[in-house]
Amino acid sequence: MEVRDIQLDQLVPSRNLRTESGDIGELVESIREHGLLQPIRVRPIGGGLYQIIAGNRRFLSHRVLGRNTISAVVVEETDEAAAVQGIVENLQRENLTPLELAQGIRELATGFKLTAEQIGQAVSKSPAQVRTWIRISRLPTDILEKIESGEGRQQIVSGLTPRHIQPFVSDLPSDEEISRNPEAAALYDDRVTNIRHLQ
């Protein structure tokens, strides 16, 4: 593992990094005052370029500050390992919406075939929590967009949180079950209707 200063114009984002970087104002001020406390993580992709695996917001903050280089840990990673690390880093953010959390966990479970135990270990959640989120991720996007996180003491929750809908997804059938079993498809539709009624 090697740490080096890399020119910002040599860095490209991973396809799995969130397109929305959120408010980076606090991070910019922290880096301005204290410097970069943790190097970003990148991998070489040829042509003198490096792909960001973890640390996109730190990279963006350096651009805002007008810096030319950033300290980076350079590693050799496969496409799959880099993608998984990028998703895991995003899932460890504190301000994720339920939609982002559900999509990230589902991608790890279905796209990369990770078990609930592996995902739980990576994102510091219990396997039971991960299984619940995998079930929640099967809900239609319009429902997920309206679910509130319920996290944070200052937040006033005025809508449904994952805790509210957990009873409705505890027996939610998988995509495979829905595709081959009309009863499972009917159960899914019933659960979605109930959640929409609550919303």
Side-chain angles (χ1 to χ4, degrees), residues 1-8 10-12 17 27 31 36-43 50-62 69-75 85 89:
M1 188 171 65
E2 176 188 359
V3 180
R4 69 171 81 149
D5 287 337
I6 296 178
Q7 296 286 330
L8 296 192
Q10 291 180 276
L11 295 168
V12 296
L17 290 171
L27 182 57
I31 292 174
L36 183 65
L37 301 180
Q38 181 181 4
I40 66 172
R41 190 175 179 89
V42 302
R43 67 175 184 143
Y50 298 85
Q51 183 183 50
I52 300 171
I53 298 173
N56 190 53
R57 295 174 80 247
R58 284 166 273 163
F59 160 72
L60 293 174
S61 297
H62 272 60
T69 63
I70 188 170
S71 181
V73 176
V74 181
V75 296
Q85 287 180 43
E89 189 203 26

Side-chain angles (χ1 to χ4, degrees), residues 11-37:
L11 295 168
V12 296
S14 164
R15 66 173 184 84
N16 288 293
L17 290 171
R18 294 172 68 189
T19 54
E20 298 277 340
S21 61
D23 181 11
I24 60 172
E26 285 187 20
L27 182 57
V28 169
E29 290 308 311
S30 173
I31 292 174
R32 189 196 314 273
E33 185 174 346
H34 306 291
L36 183 65
L37 301 180

